[in-house]
Amino acid sequence: MGSDSESSGGGGGGSGARGLVLKALFLFGGALLLKRLSKSTTRWDHARVVAESLSGQKFSREQASRDPDNYFNLRMLMCPATEMVDGSRVLYFEQAFWRTPSKPFRQRFYMVKPCPKEMKCDVELSSYAIRDAEEYKNFCDRPKDQRPQAEEVIGDIAEHLTTIHLSRCERGKRCLYEGSTPAGGFPNSWNGATYCKSELTIHKNGEVHTWDRGYDDRDNQVWGAKGGPYEFKPVPKSSYDDMFSPLSIPPFLLEKKIEGSFVLDE
């Protein structure tokens, strides 16, 4: 009896010890998994997501269908141009009327990088003029070996135009990032303006909403859409090939109409 009792007691102790070990391993593994799952996104991760979300071909076709008096069917195109030594991504940007994509009326470089640590934002998106814009027309549509190369791109980044500070959207919103230029905007002299402001929202479905406006020294808006931002949506190539629409406006009417709704160039 005594021997059986000791044997039974020893087995129970061993089982309990094994249980404690297994429990400890389970808790340790769970802690590692939780740490991995909850690992915060780095500052450069935010910049990468913004750069990738902006890249590609997007159109304002649906918005122009809803409100042809105030919005044009435009193509917005962005693609990677180069990367700076500090890791900042440089994107080439152009806008054109959808019927004439080879004739962009607006060309820029955008530099994407994390916001400075002291600022309450995630990504800094700065626009720059291009030293020889004509050389970059249809940059994204060309084979890579027929584009200006990295060294040339860096040399052609001209004066700084604007900077938008983007923050990750709050949980529950349909956007990924949103932001604007500082309250005072940036100097701008196009069409009687003295300064300009911009707002940008990047949505989860690939949409990009952008609202650029110019104001005179009395704070009157002198260019840019007045009813809200332009809504650019990705369009499959099959849809793009079949985008003929009665909404298209003859070129000789565009110059008059565009003055009140959209900026051709700053």
Side-chain angles (χ1 to χ4, degrees), residues 196-239:
C196 65
K197 294 182 178 181
S198 295
E199 296 177 22
L200 178 70
T201 304
I202 299 173
H203 290 274
K204 295 176 182 177
N205 62 358
E207 289 184 36
V208 172
H209 293 188
T210 178
W211 197 3
D212 302 321
R213 288 150 292 165
Y215 298 87
D216 62 20
D217 54 8
R218 296 183 179 182
D219 298 324
N220 297 310
Q221 185 176 343
V222 293
W223 60 255
K226 294 184 177 181
Y230 261 82
E231 301 172 4
F232 291 95
K233 299 184 179 183
V235 178
K237 189 178 187 305
S238 58
S239 299

Side-chain angles (χ1 to χ4, degrees), residues 157-177:
I157 298 175
E159 68 270 21
H160 171 252
L161 300 173
T162 63
T163 292
I164 295 175
H165 296 115
L166 295 167
S167 296
R168 191 170 183 174
C169 294
E170 297 177 1
R171 187 181 299 274
K173 298 184 72 172
R174 59 184 291 259
C175 59
L176 286 173
Y177 295 88

Side-chain angles (χ1 to χ4, degrees), residues 14 24 29 31 46 52 75 78 88 116 139 142 162-163 165-166 172 193 218-219 222 242 244 262:
H46 286 297
E52 291 176 354
R75 180 178 87 148
M78 282 200 205
S88 301
F139 177 91
R142 297 186 231 162
T162 63
T163 292
H165 296 115
L166 295 167
R218 296 183 179 182
D219 298 324
V222 293
D242 191 34
F244 183 83
F262 196 80

